[in-house]
Each structure stands twice: as C-alpha cells, then as structure tokens.
Amino acid sequence: MNEVNKKFLKDSHLIIELKLCTVRLLDNFRFPWIILIPKRKNITDIFQLKKIDRNLLMQEIVYSSKIMKKTFPTFNLNVEKIGNVISQLHIHVISRSKKDSAWPLPVWGVKKKTYTKSILNENIVKLQKAFKV
Amino acid sequence: MNEVNKKFLKDSHLIIELKLCTVRLLDNFRFPWIILIPKRKNITDIFQLKKIDRNLLMQEIVYSSKIMKKTFPTFNLNVEKIGNVISQLHIHVISRSKKDSAWPLPVWGVKKKTYTKSILNENIVKLQKAFKV
C-alpha cells in the first residue's frame, strides 16, 4: 500500500477505496472529474503493474466510467493517464458534455474553477451513493 | 471487424495489426505518437468492449507502451482515450520528453507539425522492427 501524493489530497476529495484504487473527486466545477490512484508503491506507469493489477485497473476504470456516465450529464468520457507533473500513477476519468468550457478539446487548456461548498458536497454525496459507499 | 475512420487513414500510417487493435503512427513530428484502434464495430467507449477484449486492450496498451519507451526518447508516457472529435474508440500512446514542445502539459495545446518524408519513414521502420512486423 502506498500513500496518496499530497497534491492530490489538497485538490480532491475521497469518494471510495476500491480494491486496487483510491477514487477521488477533483475540485473543479468545470467538469465532473475523478481520479483513480492504484494503491501500489513506486508505480508511475500502467505497464509497471502486475498483470492481475492491470486487469483490476481496467475493471475499476470500467466500473467508475459507468458510474460517471450515470451520475453526470455526459456526452463522452475522457480516460487519461498523463502524469507529467505528479508521477504517482493516476487515471483521470472525466465526464464531458458538448456545453462544457473546453469542448471539443481535452480539458487541459482551461483554468480550473473550484466548486462552491454546497455543489462540492452534493457531488460527493451523489458519487458516494452511486459507488454504494 | 470494423473499418478505420477515414480521418485516421489520412493523418497516420499503419504499423501493425495486433489481435485486437490496429496500431498507427500519427504524422506529428512534435511527439512520437501512436494510436491503438480496436477492431470492433460501433464501439466508442472502453466499457462497451467485452471483458475479454478489455483485457486484451490492456495487454496491447502495455505491449505498445514498452515498445514506445524502448524506441523513442521517453521521460513519460501519456495514454489517453479522448474521442471528442472522432468517436470510434482509439487510445493515444505518446512518448513525452522534457524537451518536447508541450512539456509539462498534455500534447493538445500544440499545433501539429508533419514529419519530413525521411523521418516519417525512419520512424515507421523503427516501430515495425520493434513490433516485429
């Protein structure tokens, strides 16, 4: 088991601990956006995971994707492993709609906008309910 | 089996047909960049694939990632499913270096620059050799 990078703790909120991944909601009002962080030490790339964990990661990406699609208005899902800034392996799962502020581009060109406390709490509750926390 | 979207045919070059995916090199001098296109009809999202295909996709992402890392100068790999513009499911696997023109941001903010014919051919040959075509 490893520790979640401090930058994630600051910018996101715990939703659930799945078997492999910690799931956290990013504090960005512009897009419903979660990250999946595999609880394995010193892993920066998908190919460094053992085969059993890679298949588990795929399973948890699929499970989380379906929940995101069900929970938020979603025209399309973006699923991304970037890790240029924070190297600890993490997968972004982002609900995209044609009306969001970056469409049709990926989300990275748009400055983040934090949630109001009430919408943040509402989304945490919605997600935790969907994940059956 | 499905057909590869015409936009891909125009902007990229066939490297190899794997069991699940067609692998193509994008014509962008700025980043060594391949796409993996699962040969399944009417699939736009990873979660629409059958479980056996999802695990195969994971396996081919890992295989291709290792080849990209071995073939090109790579500080980090970006692995991304976007699909906002072309909905046919495809996964980007991009070799990133700290000296590339978008670092540390994802690649999407930088305008593409096509290869010269000789460097394009060189990279196709390198990749096909690595994939043992």
Side-chain angles (χ1 to χ4, degrees), chain A residues 106-121:
Chain A
V107 298
W108 307 99
V110 178
K111 222 179 154 221
K112 96 166 181 185
K113 187 177 167 182
T114 53
Y115 282 111
T116 61
K117 206 172 172 179
S118 69
I119 300 182
L120 174 64
N121 284 339

Side-chain angles (χ1 to χ4, degrees), chain A residues 44-48 80-84 89-90, chain B residues 32-34 61-70 72-80 92-97 103:
Chain A
T44 58
D45 266 293
I46 294 167
F47 66 76
Q48 294 170 330
E80 310 178 46
K81 182 270 172 192
I82 311 283
N84 298 342
L89 180 60
H90 59 288
Chain B
W33 182 339
I34 56 171
I61 285 172
V62 165
Y63 178 58
S64 304
S65 295
K66 286 178 180 169
I67 284 176
M68 289 296 278
K69 212 172 147 70
K70 204 176 67 180
F72 299 106
T74 305
F75 177 76
N76 185 36
L77 284 168
N78 294 168
V79 179
E80 310 178 44
H92 304 269
V93 179
I94 311 163
S95 276
R96 302 299 310 276
S97 89
W103 189 266

Side-chain angles (χ1 to χ4, degrees), chain B residues 31-92:
Chain B
F31 318 94
W33 182 339
I34 56 171
I35 48 174
L36 275 60
I37 310 163
K39 291 173 271 187
R40 296 291 180 264
K41 263 193 178 164
N42 302 323
I43 299 284
T44 58
D45 268 292
I46 294 167
F47 65 77
Q48 295 170 330
L49 293 170
K50 287 179 186 162
K51 190 172 178 186
I52 189 169
D53 283 343
R54 294 199 302 252
N55 288 344
L56 206 50
L57 177 61
M58 178 54 91
Q59 202 174 304
E60 295 186 357
I61 285 172
V62 165
Y63 178 58
S64 304
S65 295
K66 286 178 180 169
I67 284 176
M68 289 296 278
K69 212 172 147 70
K70 204 176 67 180
T71 308
F72 299 106
T74 305
F75 177 76
N76 185 36
L77 284 168
N78 294 168
V79 179
E80 310 178 44
K81 182 269 171 192
I82 311 283
N84 298 341
V85 178
I86 303 180
S87 64
Q88 180 177 21
L89 181 59
H90 58 289
I91 314 290
H92 304 269

Side-chain angles (χ1 to χ4, degrees), chain A residues 24-59:
Chain A
R24 300 184 65 92
L25 174 69
L26 244 68
D27 188 3
N28 191 342
F29 177 74
R30 296 195 188 278
F31 318 94
W33 183 339
I34 56 171
I35 47 174
L36 275 60
I37 311 163
K39 291 174 271 188
R40 296 292 180 264
K41 263 193 178 167
N42 302 323
I43 299 284
T44 58
D45 266 293
I46 294 167
F47 66 76
Q48 294 170 330
L49 292 171
K50 287 177 187 164
K51 189 172 179 187
I52 189 169
D53 283 343
R54 294 199 301 251
N55 288 344
L56 206 50
L57 177 61
M58 178 54 90
Q59 202 174 305

Side-chain angles (χ1 to χ4, degrees), chain A residues 7 32 38 40 61 74 81 85 87 93-94 100 109 117 119 129 132:
Chain A
K7 181 76 167 53
R40 296 292 180 264
I61 285 172
T74 305
K81 182 270 172 192
V85 178
S87 64
V93 180
I94 311 163
D100 71 39
K117 206 172 172 179
I119 300 182
K129 203 172 160 185
K132 295 177 187 132

